[in-house]
Amino acid sequence: MARPRIAVHKFSSCDGCQLAFLNLGEALLELSEQVEILHFLEAGMNDPATPVDIAFVEGSLSTPDELERIQQVRANSRYLVTLGACATSGGLQALRNLEGRHDEWRDAIYAQPEYIQTLKEVRPIASAVKVDLELWGCPVNSDQVLAAVRALLFGVSPVDDRDRVCLECKRQQAVCVMVTQGRPCMGPVTRTGCGALCPRFGRDCYGCFGPSETAQTDTLAQRFAGLGLVPDAIARRFLMINSQAPAFLQTGRVFFHTPAGDQDD
């Protein structure tokens, strides 16, 4: 039987989530015996238009060219899986959406802005094409990627772990940094996947794996206010890596550029 075919595509991103593949090490070598990787520029394979069974996409849609290219990727793949925060919710580059001054930023940065072709807003992949599975994280977890590949190869739906980081902290026996240190931790509204890495080392979670299921973001924002954070600081907690995730965006906009003292308006 022919081996299932896989492609890994890059859009606007830092390549960090593609490294989740390369960092698999020996497991990647074992995987390459089970599948045929046809396109993966980071690893040296270049055939972006080839039809595949699974297409992994890293990065957001930031240019008109990328809007066209994602349509081709979707047409040439049986399953399309988004890798990481940029692909699932726009990533850090989507922060420019909040200002609404696309032309001003572009003109201030580039000497010849007329040659720069960008979309007015950065978009996640799912805004343009059907996505079969979203893998959150900045970057994604290597084991998470491998588990998704194996599940798809066996024809079953990959497990979508939407548990909160707080539950992972309990499993890891990590002391709550918000309760004990008063740190504005995003763990109560962020999905796990990182192994509660930051809280285990005494740092507050900053939400890099996106919103958990039924995230009570408004309640957490009020708790942050009780800890002494001013409105802009609260907004920055939600409007960061996953700023375009609806749960984070809705709450973050309430506090974004709100003068101190007006957060209850």
Side-chain angles (χ1 to χ4, degrees), residues 46-221:
N46 184 16
D47 192 1
T50 186
V52 295
D53 296 291
I54 307 173
F56 288 93
V57 177
E58 179 200 62
S60 61
L61 303 173
S62 300
T63 68
D65 172 72
E66 289 178 333
L67 272 180
E68 295 180 7
R69 189 154 56 91
I70 194 60
Q71 299 294 336
Q72 183 184 48
V73 171
R74 175 70 269 187
N76 289 336
S77 59
R78 181 181 177 190
Y79 297 108
L80 191 151
V81 181
T82 52
L83 283 178
C86 293
T88 53
S89 63
L92 285 175
Q93 55 266 37
L95 290 174
R96 68 176 172 87
N97 296 359
L98 302 172
E99 289 290 346
R101 297 180 296 177
H102 165 263
D103 293 341
E104 291 183 28
W105 285 105
R106 183 197 62 195
D107 295 351
I109 293 172
Y110 296 99
Q112 295 179 298
E114 63 272 16
Y115 293 107
I116 306 300
Q117 299 298 318
T118 57
L119 300 173
K120 288 189 177 298
E121 289 195 342
V122 174
R123 298 169 54 181
I125 301 299
S127 70
V129 296
K130 176 188 174 185
V131 171
D132 298 296
L133 176 66
E134 294 181 331
L135 297 180
W136 294 74
C138 185
V140 291
N141 183 297
S142 296
D143 292 335
Q144 173 189 16
V145 174
L146 185 60
V149 172
R150 287 175 171 167
L152 291 172
L153 293 181
F154 280 105
V156 299
S157 298
V159 175
D160 186 12
D161 191 351
R162 299 184 182 183
D163 276 354
R164 294 170 295 153
V165 171
C166 289
L167 296 178
E168 185 64 27
C169 278
K170 294 182 185 299
R171 288 191 284 263
Q172 298 283 347
Q173 299 183 3
V175 176
C176 178
V177 296
M178 185 153 61
V179 172
T180 62
Q181 302 178 41
R183 291 180 175 272
C185 182
M186 291 286 288
V189 297
T190 300
R191 68 170 64 203
T192 188
C194 61
L197 181 62
C198 289
R200 285 194 293 115
F201 285 89
R203 172 176 174 166
D204 40 299
C205 167
Y206 54 91
C208 65
F209 268 73
S212 62
E213 190 171 23
T214 64
Q216 301 295 317
T217 52
D218 292 341
T219 301
L220 185 62

Side-chain angles (χ1 to χ4, degrees), residues 4 9 21 23 43 87 118 124 131 158-160 180 193 212 217 224 228-229 232 239 256:
H9 296 271
F21 264 103
N23 288 341
T118 57
V131 171
V159 175
D160 186 12
T180 62
S212 62
T217 52
F224 286 170
L229 270 67
D232 269 3
L239 303 178
F256 186 59

